[in-house]
Amino acid sequence: MEVTTYSQRKSLPRSLQFQRMERIVKAMQHPTAGVPVREQKLFLTTIPNAFTGNDVSEWIMQKLNIKDSIEACHLASLLCYYGYFFHVTTNGAVQIKDDNELFRFQAPYFWVSTNWTTGNVEYAIYLLKRTLRNRQRHGLEEYEIHALNDLKMKLIHQWDFVTMQAEAQLRVLKDRKKTDKTIIDSQERAFWHVMRPSPDEASILEMDIRNDLYTYRPMKREELVRRRLEYLRQTLSNRVRTKSSQTHQSLCAFFELFSDYDPFLGHCSPSNPWLTSDTERWTLMQPLVDNPTQLRVRRWSFNCKELISDPTGVCEFMKFCKADFSTESLNFYLHVQEIRNCPLSQIKQKADYVYQEHLAPNAPQEVNINDTIRTKIIKQLDNPNRDIFIEAEKHIIELMKKNSYPRFIHSEHYRNLLQNATNPLPKKPGIFHFVKDNYFRLSSSSSDDEYDSDDDEIRKNDNTITNVSNNNIHNKSQPLAGTLVNTAAIATAVVAVNPGLRQSLDSDSKLASANHQTDIK
């Protein structure tokens, strides 16, 4: 196999990802501070430098400051999935648990980043070598048989070379000890399982690392087709047919409704912080404020989603619900949001609390959901995930839209909020609001220099005249908004600055009038 050089590795896809994983694996292989490796007995053989799944999970929890054993096993499974260590006996196993199953570190020669450009010839040699060995232990799987037949057709012009290489490697392997044979066979199988997986599995060369290893299950083609057809039938049956004119009207109404809240398309009160140095808008638009603006309060009346997505709106809605004695639905919604944002180790604890608080029989704050949703939640309580209450959440939001939300919008509490809300007046920017304060300072000047008042005035007037005249020249076709440049004003400023220039202008005007009278005669 052709080994990839270091300079070639840097240009590979996701090279930084492989570098970070390899840094962790090298730390695991440290002779003193790494994962404890030792000789392990396996049936009638002894496996050198092996470790168990319990050893690697304990090392990850200790060195990487991970408190949950499930997260530690998940990280170890990711490293095993990318081929950095492998199971000694169960070829192709990638899920690591807290047990005594034996694993070994993969040699750097078989890392994915080292053999990224592995071709069909090496894979054909590996498959053919397995066909020459014991079928019961080294037999090919169905997808490997199809792959070997395809490679025979593609490499028919060099198949003799493939056969010769496979036989030569097999003769060398026969002279090795039984332990070495087991280790080499496991290394090769783990490497090719990563590089050439089965068609039912996703390849790491094309898949993102965020793939969920625990929820992924390989499916047959018939199952995939059946699910796809079921999805298409549901899409056709639930399809909403509307006229294009109605769609356009609703889209225009949506943009008209939210145009005042777009800082780039509409007005940005009190001032636009992207164009000015005023940061008052950031203070007014913080998640939690004591006195919200009128635009913000008015936005809560658009729909229930706008209200519960604003932290200040949730606080005001909670005050109304407490006065109305109907806080069960809103508390349930807030607890579900906590489960979605909490650490993985706290999901089960919070899920049990939400069930006992809102869904159990005779719960203190029981919410109104049907038995079908309740049964699904009870089945998932033993192994909950972040979306365990997603159906119940949707149902509760629909109930709030019909009951508590309309009462809040038509209540005296909301009218008082709207009446007492602040309405910041827009701040009118200056003509040259984009010019900094020290724009007119010369580059040679410093903060320690002291200038005379007369020199400062002359310098400012000269710079003002230069800037005004330049703006007039460059903006003849499209002048700057809010500015009117007059030639007479420029002449007046020039004369005011230089008294000697006034005499020259008077003499020029007298000469021009005399020439004009001569032409008339």
Side-chain angles (χ1 to χ4, degrees), residues 266 376 440:
K376 289 182 181 180
F440 295 114

Side-chain angles (χ1 to χ4, degrees), residues 8 11-12 53 61 65 131 186 255 294 319-320 343 394 457 495:
Q8 292 175 342
S11 61
L12 294 177
M61 292 176 65
N65 196 18
T131 59
S186 300
F255 279 104
Q294 209 170 57
K319 293 178 183 178
F320 169 78
K394 292 179 180 178
E457 186 177 358
V495 172

Side-chain angles (χ1 to χ4, degrees), residues 414-433:
Y414 179 75
R415 285 195 293 270
N416 292 335
L417 283 174
L418 193 59
Q419 184 177 359
N420 299 329
T422 60
N423 189 14
L425 297 176
K427 294 183 179 180
K428 184 176 181 181
I431 297 176
F432 300 101
H433 57 82

Side-chain angles (χ1 to χ4, degrees), residues 101-123:
E101 293 291 336
L102 297 183
F103 293 86
R104 273 180 58 90
F105 286 108
Q106 182 68 282
Y109 178 77
F110 289 104
W111 285 355
V112 177
S113 60
T114 308
N115 295 280
W116 187 274
T117 57
T118 303
N120 292 329
V121 177
E122 291 83 0
Y123 189 47

Side-chain angles (χ1 to χ4, degrees), residues 86-110:
F86 57 91
H87 201 287
V88 175
T89 56
T90 308
N91 298 301
V94 297
Q95 189 169 355
I96 295 181
K97 302 178 181 179
D98 285 334
D99 52 15
N100 294 323
E101 293 291 336
L102 297 183
F103 293 86
R104 273 180 58 90
F105 286 108
Q106 182 68 282
Y109 178 77
F110 289 104

